[in-house]
Each structure stands twice: as C-alpha cells, then as structure tokens.
C-alpha cells in the first residue's frame, strides 16, 4: 500500500459486539461513501480496489544496502 501513500490512509477498525460482520477491506471515498469492499487481502486484491480510484501506483525503489 505504500505505493499509494499520498492518496490512501489505512485506518484500523473493529466491529462492535453483536454488530454485523464487515468485509476485511473497505475503501471509503473522501465523501464518506463506500467505493469498494473485499474479503480478500493481498497486494493484488488491494491493487484491484485502489487502481480504479487512485490510478496506477508510483514505482517504489528497493532499499539499498
């Protein structure tokens, strides 16, 4: 997700006891509407959720050393 760090903020959340289950990943637009949701987690699934809204991620350089 660091490729989109200038567009995306990760926010951990929990469901209240007795509440309805939520998908593992929920993408919320700035106007507070849900843009996408998924129970799949991984680099490919996150890319599939983020690219339509945030574009292709910036290339990240590998650490040297």
């Amino acid at each position: 997700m660091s490729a989109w760090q200038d567009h995306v903020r990760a926010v951990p959340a929990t469901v209240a006891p007795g509440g309805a289950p939520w998908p593992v990943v929920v993408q919320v637009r700035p106007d507070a509407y849900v843009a996408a949701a998924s129970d799949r987690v991984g680099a490919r699934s996150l890319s599939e959720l983020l690219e339509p809204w945030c574009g292709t991620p910036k290339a990240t350089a590998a650490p040297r050393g």
Side-chain angles (χ1 to χ4, degrees), residues 28-45:
V28 182
R29 301 183 332 198
D31 59 2
Y33 283 89
V34 172
S38 177
D39 283 324
R40 297 180 300 151
V41 176
R44 176 119 175 106
S45 58

Side-chain angles (χ1 to χ4, degrees), residues 3-65:
W4 286 285
Q5 66 188 5
D6 56 338
H7 294 296
V8 177
R9 185 176 346 154
V11 179
T14 57
V15 176
W22 277 71
V24 175
V25 176
V26 178
Q27 181 183 5
V28 182
R29 301 183 332 198
D31 59 2
Y33 283 89
V34 172
S38 177
D39 283 324
R40 297 180 300 151
V41 176
R44 176 119 175 106
S45 58
L46 286 175
S47 292
E48 290 170 357
L49 287 174
L50 294 173
E51 282 184 8
W53 293 95
C54 301
T56 304
K58 288 191 230 177
T60 54
R64 295 181 187 196

